Structures are given as C-alpha cells and as structure tokens.
Amino acid sequence: MAQLLEGKPLAEKIKEEIKKQVVSLKVKPVLASIMVGENAGAASYVKSQAKAAENLGIEYRLQTLPQDTTENALIDFIRKLNVDQSVNGMIIQMPLPAAIDYKKISQFISPEKDIEGMHPQNIGKLLFGKAKLIPCTAAAAMELINSSGIDLYGKEVVVVGHSEIVGKPLALLLLDKFATVTVSHIGTSKAGKLEEHVRRAEVLVVAVGKAGLIKGDWIKEGAVVIDVGINRVAEKIVGDVEFEAAEKRAAFITPVPGGVGPLTVTMLMRNLVEAAKAQQQ
Ligand code: NDP
C-alpha cells in the first residue's frame, strides 16, 4: 500500500522557512491580487490566498476592477502596479471576462513582479535552470516528488498534460534533475499510447482534468504518483488517477484533495518573498 504524499505538512514546513525570510526583509512584502468582476471560484481562491498571506506576514492587497474593464484598461492598471514600489508581486485571478486574453495581458506584468512565473523572461530562465520565480503548480509537484526521497537522476518520468502552467514547466524542472522525461498529452491518448507510457513511469505526474483517465492497474509497482487533477464527481473532488487501485501498486501517491492543492498557494507566497528579496537588494 502506497505511502500518502500529503501537501499540508510539507506546506507547513515550507511556510516556516518563508516566515523567517519575511522577518529578514526590510519592509513587509506586498502581494497585489487583481480580480476583474465578481466570480465565486475566484473569490474562494482570493480568500485562501489572503489567509495564507496574513499568516506569513505578507500584505495581501486585493484590487477589484469592474466586470466591464477593457483589456487596455487592465494593461494600464498592471503598468501602474509595475512602477508602484510598494508592490512586490502580482497575480491576476481567473477567470477573466471573455473579452480579456490572459496570455496577452500577463505579458505586461514586470518579470520581477511575475510571481506566477509565466512571463517569457521567467520561462526563459527556467529553460536555463536559473529561474527564481517558478510556476506554482509545477513547483508544488516538484516539492512533492522530492519529499518522497526519490533520486530523479536517470529515472523514467512521465508527465501527462502539456499545459503552460503545469506540464511544460515541470518537464523543464525534471530535466534539470537529469530525469528521462516523457511528456504525453491528448495526441498520445488519441494515438492509443497513453497506457504504454504510463506503465513505464517510475514517477508519474498527471495534470489533465479528467477523472479516471489513468487506470489504477497501469501504475508501475513502486512508482511515485503525483495527481494534479481536480475534478468534481458526484459532489466529491477526485483526481485524474483511479486512486484506490493505484495506491495498491504505487510506493507514494498524492491524495486528491490534500496533495498538490495545499502546496500551490504556498509556492505563490514563496515566489512573492523571492521577488521581494530581489527587489530589496
Ligand atoms: P489544461 O486544460 O490547460 O491542460 C490539460 C492538459 O491535458 C492539456 O495538455 C491537454 O492536451 C491534456 N489532455 C486533455 N485530454 C487528455 C487526454 N485524454 N489524455 C492525455 N492528455 C490530455 O489544464 P491545467 O494544466 O490548467 O490543469 C490540469 C488539471 O490540474 C486540472 O484538473 C486543474 O483543475 C488541475 N490544477 C490543479 C492545481 C492544484 O493546485 N492542485 C492547479 C492548477 C491546475 P491539449 O491541450 O492538447 O488538449
């Protein structure tokens, strides 16, 4: 039976480190959170981010803009925050109104304040293994893999999902540790090859958003399984991996909920403190 890789205790440990760093800063760090319009999903993220920030001694400055904010108005707003010296980092809450293209506007955030790690300059640094601001979910998955104690050198790692926020940055982080990385995606599934890749995985990370996509009996005996997926099925939250069957074969597995989720917000706060440190130097 697999050992559970729980996010909360790991997050608590990392938060202790963050707290120490916050205390060593010259000025209390400030995270600006931009929300456009009202949305229940975004509001719940905002609440948990605000709570995490407060516990760590970080000021969480919520900036709510009207639903009819235009793309240009949002870009102007971001530009103001870029030059506001009291702000160390910013995050744009999703979802945005349909008229606003997240990929476009996120490029206007100054790379020094880009605590989601999505600016091309920060992605470029990731490619060179020099990133300080790493996309939060990919960073959370890495922390969980590391907490299993596995040495990634030469290991077969299969990542399912190639999104910009999880699969792609995670592949770069894993390559940095000399893992042999396979990134599989919808094309892999359509070619009928997902199962054969998953079966080889000594470390498997799944970030798709489809409940039950990964069958429990595909899991290699002794594998480390990180399930990033979040799916609501019959009022329950489940991941992308068939948990009950998978935990019988894996050595380590993340629960959903309670695995990657609790760490992601901690990674955001860690990025904020990294950004503040660099700016105050
Ligand atoms: P995206 O929708 O951006 O990406 C999903 C990826 O899965 C895409 O690369 C897609 O390929 C691929 N995919 C879709 N169907 C299949 C399939 N049948 N077989 C293999 N690959 C497939 O999602 P995100 O990366 O943003 O999120 C993924 C999951 O992780 C979601 O459930 C999300 O809720 C969760 N998540 C959890 C977080 C946490 O903190 N725990 C944070 C962020 C996300 P293509 O695009 O080519 O179709």
mmCIF file of all heavy atoms in Angstrom, residues 45 136-137 140 160-167 184-190 194 206-210 213-214 227-231 238-240 256 259-265, ligand 1:
data_model
loop_
_atom_site.group_PDB
_atom_site.id
_atom_site.type_symbol
_atom_site.label_atom_id
_atom_site.label_comp_id
_atom_site.label_asym_id
_atom_site.label_seq_id
_atom_site.Cartn_x
_atom_site.Cartn_y
_atom_site.Cartn_z
ATOM 1 N N TYR A 45 -10.483 31.387 -4.204
ATOM 2 C CA TYR A 45 -9.012 31.417 -4.276
ATOM 3 C C TYR A 45 -8.463 32.619 -3.515
ATOM 4 O O TYR A 45 -7.484 32.524 -2.771
ATOM 5 C CB TYR A 45 -8.531 31.486 -5.731
ATOM 6 C CG TYR A 45 -8.578 30.158 -6.444
ATOM 7 C CD1 TYR A 45 -9.300 29.987 -7.611
ATOM 8 C CD2 TYR A 45 -7.871 29.054 -5.946
ATOM 9 C CE1 TYR A 45 -9.350 28.762 -8.268
ATOM 10 C CE2 TYR A 45 -7.907 27.831 -6.596
ATOM 11 C CZ TYR A 45 -8.651 27.683 -7.746
ATOM 12 O OH TYR A 45 -8.698 26.478 -8.388
ATOM 13 N N CYS A 136 3.693 28.044 -10.047
ATOM 14 C CA CYS A 136 3.409 27.491 -8.707
ATOM 15 C C CYS A 136 3.022 26.007 -8.696
ATOM 16 O O CYS A 136 3.485 25.261 -7.826
ATOM 17 C CB CYS A 136 2.310 28.308 -8.053
ATOM 18 S SG CYS A 136 2.758 30.038 -7.939
ATOM 19 N N THR A 137 2.177 25.579 -9.621
ATOM 20 C CA THR A 137 1.721 24.179 -9.572
ATOM 21 C C THR A 137 2.871 23.231 -9.929
ATOM 22 O O THR A 137 3.020 22.161 -9.315
ATOM 23 C CB THR A 137 0.520 23.965 -10.509
ATOM 24 O OG1 THR A 137 -0.411 25.023 -10.290
ATOM 25 C CG2 THR A 137 -0.158 22.651 -10.242
ATOM 26 N N ALA A 140 4.996 23.008 -6.950
ATOM 27 C CA ALA A 140 4.364 22.181 -5.910
ATOM 28 C C ALA A 140 4.564 20.693 -6.225
ATOM 29 O O ALA A 140 4.888 19.889 -5.336
ATOM 30 C CB ALA A 140 2.872 22.511 -5.824
ATOM 31 N N VAL A 160 1.750 13.672 -17.756
ATOM 32 C CA VAL A 160 0.569 13.633 -18.629
ATOM 33 C C VAL A 160 -0.072 15.023 -18.571
ATOM 34 O O VAL A 160 -0.474 15.478 -17.497
ATOM 35 C CB VAL A 160 -0.439 12.547 -18.205
ATOM 36 C CG1 VAL A 160 -1.538 12.400 -19.268
ATOM 37 C CG2 VAL A 160 0.256 11.201 -17.979
ATOM 38 N N GLY A 161 -0.165 15.662 -19.730
ATOM 39 C CA GLY A 161 -0.668 17.046 -19.799
ATOM 40 C C GLY A 161 0.496 17.966 -20.147
ATOM 41 O O GLY A 161 1.574 17.841 -19.547
ATOM 42 N N HIS A 162 0.297 18.849 -21.110
ATOM 43 C CA HIS A 162 1.400 19.725 -21.549
ATOM 44 C C HIS A 162 1.000 21.197 -21.482
ATOM 45 O O HIS A 162 1.335 21.985 -22.357
ATOM 46 C CB HIS A 162 1.891 19.324 -22.946
ATOM 47 C CG HIS A 162 0.859 19.484 -24.040
ATOM 48 N ND1 HIS A 162 1.182 19.489 -25.370
ATOM 49 C CD2 HIS A 162 -0.478 19.654 -23.982
ATOM 50 C CE1 HIS A 162 0.079 19.643 -26.094
ATOM 51 N NE2 HIS A 162 -0.935 19.750 -25.272
ATOM 52 N N SER A 163 0.249 21.555 -20.436
ATOM 53 C CA SER A 163 -0.171 22.962 -20.342
ATOM 54 C C SER A 163 1.013 23.842 -19.954
ATOM 55 O O SER A 163 2.012 23.365 -19.416
ATOM 56 C CB SER A 163 -1.291 23.119 -19.312
ATOM 57 O OG SER A 163 -0.782 22.962 -18.007
ATOM 58 N N GLU A 164 0.860 25.140 -20.223
ATOM 59 C CA GLU A 164 1.930 26.092 -19.900
ATOM 60 C C GLU A 164 2.130 26.227 -18.397
ATOM 61 O O GLU A 164 3.212 26.549 -17.935
ATOM 62 C CB GLU A 164 1.620 27.485 -20.471
ATOM 63 C CG GLU A 164 1.970 27.657 -21.933
ATOM 64 C CD GLU A 164 0.841 27.229 -22.844
ATOM 65 O OE1 GLU A 164 -0.297 27.078 -22.349
ATOM 66 O OE2 GLU A 164 1.094 27.036 -24.051
ATOM 67 N N ILE A 165 1.057 25.984 -17.607
ATOM 68 C CA ILE A 165 1.211 26.211 -16.161
ATOM 69 C C ILE A 165 1.714 24.975 -15.424
ATOM 70 O O ILE A 165 2.284 25.093 -14.357
ATOM 71 C CB ILE A 165 -0.073 26.763 -15.480
ATOM 72 C CG1 ILE A 165 -1.219 25.758 -15.513
ATOM 73 C CG2 ILE A 165 -0.497 28.085 -16.070
ATOM 74 C CD1 ILE A 165 -2.279 26.070 -14.464
ATOM 75 N N VAL A 166 1.506 23.782 -15.970
ATOM 76 C CA VAL A 166 1.947 22.586 -15.245
ATOM 77 C C VAL A 166 2.929 21.729 -16.068
ATOM 78 O O VAL A 166 4.125 21.683 -15.771
ATOM 79 C CB VAL A 166 0.773 21.692 -14.767
ATOM 80 C CG1 VAL A 166 1.259 20.735 -13.686
ATOM 81 C CG2 VAL A 166 -0.423 22.478 -14.264
ATOM 82 N N GLY A 167 2.425 21.049 -17.082
ATOM 83 C CA GLY A 167 3.223 20.037 -17.772
ATOM 84 C C GLY A 167 4.537 20.554 -18.346
ATOM 85 O O GLY A 167 5.602 19.973 -18.111
ATOM 86 N N SER A 184 3.413 13.473 -22.225
ATOM 87 C CA SER A 184 2.330 12.930 -23.040
ATOM 88 C C SER A 184 1.126 13.860 -22.923
ATOM 89 O O SER A 184 1.049 14.683 -22.005
ATOM 90 C CB SER A 184 1.985 11.519 -22.575
ATOM 91 O OG SER A 184 1.649 11.544 -21.214
ATOM 92 N N HIS A 185 0.230 13.745 -23.872
ATOM 93 C CA HIS A 185 -0.867 14.721 -23.958
ATOM 94 C C HIS A 185 -2.001 14.123 -24.772
ATOM 95 O O HIS A 185 -2.019 12.906 -25.000
ATOM 96 C CB HIS A 185 -0.346 16.035 -24.581
ATOM 97 C CG HIS A 185 0.603 15.790 -25.709
ATOM 98 N ND1 HIS A 185 0.185 15.325 -26.927
ATOM 99 C CD2 HIS A 185 1.960 15.859 -25.763
ATOM 100 C CE1 HIS A 185 1.231 15.140 -27.696
ATOM 101 N NE2 HIS A 185 2.335 15.456 -27.014
ATOM 102 N N ILE A 186 -2.872 14.989 -25.244
ATOM 103 C CA ILE A 186 -4.037 14.498 -25.975
ATOM 104 C C ILE A 186 -3.628 13.675 -27.207
ATOM 105 O O ILE A 186 -4.256 12.657 -27.528
ATOM 106 C CB ILE A 186 -4.989 15.673 -26.335
ATOM 107 C CG1 ILE A 186 -6.314 15.193 -26.903
ATOM 108 C CG2 ILE A 186 -4.334 16.673 -27.259
ATOM 109 C CD1 ILE A 186 -7.227 14.542 -25.916
ATOM 110 N N GLY A 187 -2.539 14.094 -27.866
ATOM 111 C CA GLY A 187 -2.070 13.365 -29.055
ATOM 112 C C GLY A 187 -1.659 11.940 -28.690
ATOM 113 O O GLY A 187 -1.916 10.991 -29.450
ATOM 114 N N THR A 188 -1.042 11.798 -27.524
ATOM 115 C CA THR A 188 -0.604 10.478 -27.045
ATOM 116 C C THR A 188 -1.827 9.585 -26.834
ATOM 117 O O THR A 188 -1.842 8.414 -27.216
ATOM 118 C CB THR A 188 0.151 10.634 -25.704
ATOM 119 O OG1 THR A 188 0.984 11.790 -25.760
ATOM 120 C CG2 THR A 188 0.959 9.400 -25.375
ATOM 121 N N SER A 189 -2.862 10.181 -26.212
ATOM 122 C CA SER A 189 -4.094 9.426 -25.957
ATOM 123 C C SER A 189 -4.763 9.020 -27.258
ATOM 124 O O SER A 189 -5.188 7.887 -27.430
ATOM 125 C CB SER A 189 -5.075 10.268 -25.149
ATOM 126 O OG SER A 189 -4.808 10.132 -23.789
ATOM 127 N N LYS A 190 -4.830 9.991 -28.176
ATOM 128 C CA LYS A 190 -5.519 9.721 -29.448
ATOM 129 C C LYS A 190 -4.778 8.666 -30.258
ATOM 130 O O LYS A 190 -5.390 7.931 -31.032
ATOM 131 C CB LYS A 190 -5.698 11.011 -30.241
ATOM 132 C CG LYS A 190 -6.729 11.923 -29.587
ATOM 133 C CD LYS A 190 -7.451 12.800 -30.577
ATOM 134 C CE LYS A 190 -8.673 13.427 -29.922
ATOM 135 N NZ LYS A 190 -8.882 14.807 -30.313
ATOM 136 N N LEU A 194 -1.176 6.172 -24.478
ATOM 137 C CA LEU A 194 -1.032 6.689 -23.116
ATOM 138 C C LEU A 194 -0.677 5.571 -22.129
ATOM 139 O O LEU A 194 0.243 5.699 -21.326
ATOM 140 C CB LEU A 194 -2.320 7.409 -22.687
ATOM 141 C CG LEU A 194 -2.231 8.125 -21.350
ATOM 142 C CD1 LEU A 194 -1.182 9.238 -21.372
ATOM 143 C CD2 LEU A 194 -3.586 8.723 -20.944
ATOM 144 N N VAL A 206 0.293 13.563 -13.296
ATOM 145 C CA VAL A 206 -0.864 13.698 -14.186
ATOM 146 C C VAL A 206 -1.545 15.037 -13.930
ATOM 147 O O VAL A 206 -1.951 15.335 -12.805
ATOM 148 C CB VAL A 206 -1.870 12.543 -13.970
ATOM 149 C CG1 VAL A 206 -2.914 12.566 -15.081
ATOM 150 C CG2 VAL A 206 -1.161 11.197 -13.945
ATOM 151 N N ALA A 207 -1.655 15.851 -14.983
ATOM 152 C CA ALA A 207 -2.294 17.173 -14.872
ATOM 153 C C ALA A 207 -3.167 17.371 -16.098
ATOM 154 O O ALA A 207 -2.769 18.028 -17.065
ATOM 155 C CB ALA A 207 -1.238 18.262 -14.762
ATOM 156 N N VAL A 208 -4.331 16.778 -16.071
ATOM 157 C CA VAL A 208 -5.223 16.827 -17.232
ATOM 158 C C VAL A 208 -6.582 17.447 -16.877
ATOM 159 O O VAL A 208 -7.037 18.397 -17.492
ATOM 160 C CB VAL A 208 -5.412 15.402 -17.832
ATOM 161 C CG1 VAL A 208 -6.484 15.411 -18.923
ATOM 162 C CG2 VAL A 208 -4.092 14.894 -18.405
ATOM 163 N N GLY A 209 -7.236 16.893 -15.849
ATOM 164 C CA GLY A 209 -8.582 17.364 -15.511
ATOM 165 C C GLY A 209 -9.637 16.412 -16.036
ATOM 166 O O GLY A 209 -10.720 16.848 -16.451
ATOM 167 N N LYS A 210 -9.319 15.097 -16.035
ATOM 168 C CA LYS A 210 -10.310 14.082 -16.447
ATOM 169 C C LYS A 210 -10.298 12.948 -15.433
ATOM 170 O O LYS A 210 -9.317 12.180 -15.354
ATOM 171 C CB LYS A 210 -9.973 13.529 -17.838
ATOM 172 C CG LYS A 210 -10.283 14.526 -18.931
ATOM 173 C CD LYS A 210 -10.236 13.940 -20.319
ATOM 174 C CE LYS A 210 -10.639 15.030 -21.318
ATOM 175 N NZ LYS A 210 -9.960 14.931 -22.602
ATOM 176 N N LEU A 213 -8.906 9.065 -15.832
ATOM 177 C CA LEU A 213 -8.143 8.932 -17.085
ATOM 178 C C LEU A 213 -7.051 7.860 -16.942
ATOM 179 O O LEU A 213 -6.821 7.053 -17.834
ATOM 180 C CB LEU A 213 -7.500 10.281 -17.460
ATOM 181 C CG LEU A 213 -6.610 10.245 -18.697
ATOM 182 C CD1 LEU A 213 -7.422 10.069 -19.968
ATOM 183 C CD2 LEU A 213 -5.764 11.519 -18.804
ATOM 184 N N ILE A 214 -6.396 7.856 -15.782
ATOM 185 C CA ILE A 214 -5.286 6.920 -15.565
ATOM 186 C C ILE A 214 -5.806 5.739 -14.741
ATOM 187 O O ILE A 214 -6.178 5.893 -13.560
ATOM 188 C CB ILE A 214 -4.113 7.614 -14.827
ATOM 189 C CG1 ILE A 214 -3.682 8.897 -15.563
ATOM 190 C CG2 ILE A 214 -2.946 6.642 -14.628
ATOM 191 C CD1 ILE A 214 -3.147 8.700 -16.972
ATOM 192 N N ASP A 227 -0.802 13.348 -8.526
ATOM 193 C CA ASP A 227 -2.050 13.617 -9.252
ATOM 194 C C ASP A 227 -2.438 15.087 -9.054
ATOM 195 O O ASP A 227 -2.848 15.494 -7.962
ATOM 196 C CB ASP A 227 -3.145 12.684 -8.702
ATOM 197 C CG ASP A 227 -4.399 12.680 -9.566
ATOM 198 O OD1 ASP A 227 -4.506 13.542 -10.466
ATOM 199 O OD2 ASP A 227 -5.268 11.815 -9.332
ATOM 200 N N VAL A 228 -2.275 15.856 -10.107
ATOM 201 C CA VAL A 228 -2.558 17.305 -10.026
ATOM 202 C C VAL A 228 -4.033 17.591 -10.317
ATOM 203 O O VAL A 228 -4.584 18.599 -9.893
ATOM 204 C CB VAL A 228 -1.653 18.084 -11.025
ATOM 205 C CG1 VAL A 228 -1.877 19.591 -10.919
ATOM 206 C CG2 VAL A 228 -0.179 17.760 -10.800
ATOM 207 N N GLY A 229 -4.675 16.687 -11.009
ATOM 208 C CA GLY A 229 -6.046 16.909 -11.477
ATOM 209 C C GLY A 229 -7.040 17.207 -10.363
ATOM 210 O O GLY A 229 -6.930 16.686 -9.250
ATOM 211 N N ILE A 230 -7.983 18.066 -10.684
ATOM 212 C CA ILE A 230 -9.084 18.363 -9.751
ATOM 213 C C ILE A 230 -10.377 18.201 -10.544
ATOM 214 O O ILE A 230 -10.600 18.929 -11.525
ATOM 215 C CB ILE A 230 -9.013 19.811 -9.214
ATOM 216 C CG1 ILE A 230 -7.692 20.061 -8.478
ATOM 217 C CG2 ILE A 230 -10.198 20.118 -8.301
ATOM 218 C CD1 ILE A 230 -7.508 21.495 -8.014
ATOM 219 N N ASN A 231 -11.191 17.247 -10.147
ATOM 220 C CA ASN A 231 -12.468 17.008 -10.853
ATOM 221 C C ASN A 231 -13.575 16.836 -9.827
ATOM 222 O O ASN A 231 -13.371 16.197 -8.800
ATOM 223 C CB ASN A 231 -12.367 15.719 -11.677
ATOM 224 C CG ASN A 231 -11.127 15.686 -12.554
ATOM 225 O OD1 ASN A 231 -11.044 16.408 -13.537
ATOM 226 N ND2 ASN A 231 -10.139 14.877 -12.185
ATOM 227 N N VAL A 238 -12.151 14.598 -6.973
ATOM 228 C CA VAL A 238 -11.233 13.489 -7.246
ATOM 229 C C VAL A 238 -10.169 13.959 -8.243
ATOM 230 O O VAL A 238 -10.334 14.988 -8.896
ATOM 231 C CB VAL A 238 -11.968 12.240 -7.819
ATOM 232 C CG1 VAL A 238 -12.983 11.682 -6.842
ATOM 233 C CG2 VAL A 238 -12.636 12.565 -9.155
ATOM 234 N N GLY A 239 -9.104 13.160 -8.339
ATOM 235 C CA GLY A 239 -8.031 13.498 -9.272
ATOM 236 C C GLY A 239 -8.246 12.834 -10.629
ATOM 237 O O GLY A 239 -9.372 12.456 -10.987
ATOM 238 N N ASP A 240 -7.146 12.676 -11.374
ATOM 239 C CA ASP A 240 -7.203 12.054 -12.699
ATOM 240 C C ASP A 240 -6.840 10.574 -12.646
ATOM 241 O O ASP A 240 -6.988 9.861 -13.639
ATOM 242 C CB ASP A 240 -6.205 12.749 -13.641
ATOM 243 C CG ASP A 240 -6.564 14.196 -13.935
ATOM 244 O OD1 ASP A 240 -7.741 14.570 -13.745
ATOM 245 O OD2 ASP A 240 -5.676 14.955 -14.357
ATOM 246 N N VAL A 256 -6.175 13.294 -3.463
ATOM 247 C CA VAL A 256 -6.915 14.440 -4.024
ATOM 248 C C VAL A 256 -8.281 14.448 -3.365
ATOM 249 O O VAL A 256 -9.004 13.452 -3.463
ATOM 250 C CB VAL A 256 -7.085 14.329 -5.553
ATOM 251 C CG1 VAL A 256 -7.871 15.541 -6.075
ATOM 252 C CG2 VAL A 256 -5.764 14.207 -6.273
ATOM 253 N N GLY A 259 -3.287 16.876 -1.739
ATOM 254 C CA GLY A 259 -1.923 16.633 -2.222
ATOM 255 C C GLY A 259 -1.302 17.922 -2.735
ATOM 256 O O GLY A 259 -0.764 18.727 -1.970
ATOM 257 N N VAL A 260 -1.415 18.118 -4.045
ATOM 258 C CA VAL A 260 -0.799 19.279 -4.692
ATOM 259 C C VAL A 260 -1.474 20.591 -4.248
ATOM 260 O O VAL A 260 -0.806 21.604 -4.021
ATOM 261 C CB VAL A 260 -0.888 19.138 -6.237
ATOM 262 C CG1 VAL A 260 -0.259 20.329 -6.936
ATOM 263 C CG2 VAL A 260 -0.220 17.842 -6.688
ATOM 264 N N GLY A 261 -2.801 20.561 -4.132
ATOM 265 C CA GLY A 261 -3.575 21.773 -3.847
ATOM 266 C C GLY A 261 -3.035 22.622 -2.695
ATOM 267 O O GLY A 261 -2.745 23.801 -2.887
ATOM 268 N N PRO A 262 -2.870 22.048 -1.493
ATOM 269 C CA PRO A 262 -2.439 22.872 -0.370
ATOM 270 C C PRO A 262 -1.049 23.482 -0.547
ATOM 271 O O PRO A 262 -0.699 24.447 0.142
ATOM 272 C CB PRO A 262 -2.412 21.875 0.809
ATOM 273 C CG PRO A 262 -3.185 20.696 0.371
ATOM 274 C CD PRO A 262 -3.151 20.658 -1.115
ATOM 275 N N LEU A 263 -0.261 22.929 -1.455
ATOM 276 C CA LEU A 263 1.093 23.462 -1.648
ATOM 277 C C LEU A 263 1.142 24.620 -2.627
ATOM 278 O O LEU A 263 2.034 25.458 -2.567
ATOM 279 C CB LEU A 263 1.999 22.354 -2.204
ATOM 280 C CG LEU A 263 2.815 21.557 -1.213
ATOM 281 C CD1 LEU A 263 3.610 20.503 -1.965
ATOM 282 C CD2 LEU A 263 3.784 22.454 -0.459
ATOM 283 N N THR A 264 0.172 24.653 -3.546
ATOM 284 C CA THR A 264 0.254 25.633 -4.637
ATOM 285 C C THR A 264 0.270 27.071 -4.105
ATOM 286 O O THR A 264 1.098 27.882 -4.524
ATOM 287 C CB THR A 264 -0.922 25.426 -5.622
ATOM 288 O OG1 THR A 264 -0.972 24.039 -5.934
ATOM 289 C CG2 THR A 264 -0.733 26.206 -6.884
ATOM 290 N N VAL A 265 -0.603 27.352 -3.158
ATOM 291 C CA VAL A 265 -0.659 28.728 -2.625
ATOM 292 C C VAL A 265 0.632 29.050 -1.857
ATOM 293 O O VAL A 265 1.126 30.185 -1.892
ATOM 294 C CB VAL A 265 -1.957 28.952 -1.803
ATOM 295 C CG1 VAL A 265 -1.998 28.130 -0.563
ATOM 296 C CG2 VAL A 265 -2.144 30.418 -1.460
HETATM 297 P P1 NDP B 1 -5.266 22.411 -19.160
HETATM 298 O O1 NDP B 1 -6.653 22.131 -19.626
HETATM 299 O O2 NDP B 1 -4.600 23.677 -19.528
HETATM 300 O O3 NDP B 1 -4.323 21.222 -19.662
HETATM 301 C C1 NDP B 1 -4.734 19.903 -19.663
HETATM 302 C C2 NDP B 1 -3.732 19.085 -20.447
HETATM 303 O O4 NDP B 1 -4.182 17.745 -20.565
HETATM 304 C C3 NDP B 1 -3.534 19.594 -21.856
HETATM 305 O O5 NDP B 1 -2.168 19.496 -22.134
HETATM 306 C C4 NDP B 1 -4.346 18.608 -22.685
HETATM 307 O O6 NDP B 1 -3.869 18.496 -24.004
HETATM 308 C C5 NDP B 1 -4.141 17.346 -21.928
HETATM 309 N N1 NDP B 1 -5.176 16.355 -22.170
HETATM 310 C C6 NDP B 1 -6.506 16.545 -22.332
HETATM 311 N N2 NDP B 1 -7.138 15.372 -22.513
HETATM 312 C C7 NDP B 1 -6.183 14.423 -22.452
HETATM 313 C C8 NDP B 1 -6.210 13.019 -22.587
HETATM 314 N N3 NDP B 1 -7.345 12.352 -22.801
HETATM 315 N N4 NDP B 1 -5.040 12.355 -22.486
HETATM 316 C C9 NDP B 1 -3.878 12.993 -22.260
HETATM 317 N N5 NDP B 1 -3.801 14.327 -22.132
HETATM 318 C C10 NDP B 1 -4.936 15.043 -22.237
HETATM 319 O O7 NDP B 1 -5.299 22.207 -17.597
HETATM 320 P P2 NDP B 1 -4.261 22.680 -16.469
HETATM 321 O O8 NDP B 1 -2.883 22.257 -16.803
HETATM 322 O O9 NDP B 1 -4.531 24.080 -16.127
HETATM 323 O O10 NDP B 1 -4.810 21.801 -15.254
HETATM 324 C C11 NDP B 1 -4.820 20.384 -15.314
HETATM 325 C C12 NDP B 1 -5.563 19.844 -14.104
HETATM 326 O O11 NDP B 1 -4.874 20.232 -12.932
HETATM 327 C C13 NDP B 1 -6.993 20.369 -13.937
HETATM 328 O O12 NDP B 1 -7.786 19.361 -13.356
HETATM 329 C C14 NDP B 1 -6.832 21.507 -12.959
HETATM 330 O O13 NDP B 1 -8.012 21.748 -12.218
HETATM 331 C C15 NDP B 1 -5.746 20.969 -12.081
HETATM 332 N N6 NDP B 1 -4.955 22.004 -11.414
HETATM 333 C C16 NDP B 1 -4.710 21.815 -10.084
HETATM 334 C C17 NDP B 1 -3.997 22.729 -9.390
HETATM 335 C C18 NDP B 1 -3.731 22.489 -7.949
HETATM 336 O O14 NDP B 1 -3.328 23.388 -7.247
HETATM 337 N N7 NDP B 1 -3.914 21.275 -7.449
HETATM 338 C C19 NDP B 1 -3.503 23.973 -10.012
HETATM 339 C C20 NDP B 1 -3.707 24.010 -11.447
HETATM 340 C C21 NDP B 1 -4.439 23.057 -12.094
HETATM 341 P P3 NDP B 1 -4.454 19.539 -25.134
HETATM 342 O O15 NDP B 1 -4.430 20.895 -24.529
HETATM 343 O O16 NDP B 1 -3.524 19.400 -26.253
HETATM 344 O O17 NDP B 1 -5.862 19.069 -25.373
#
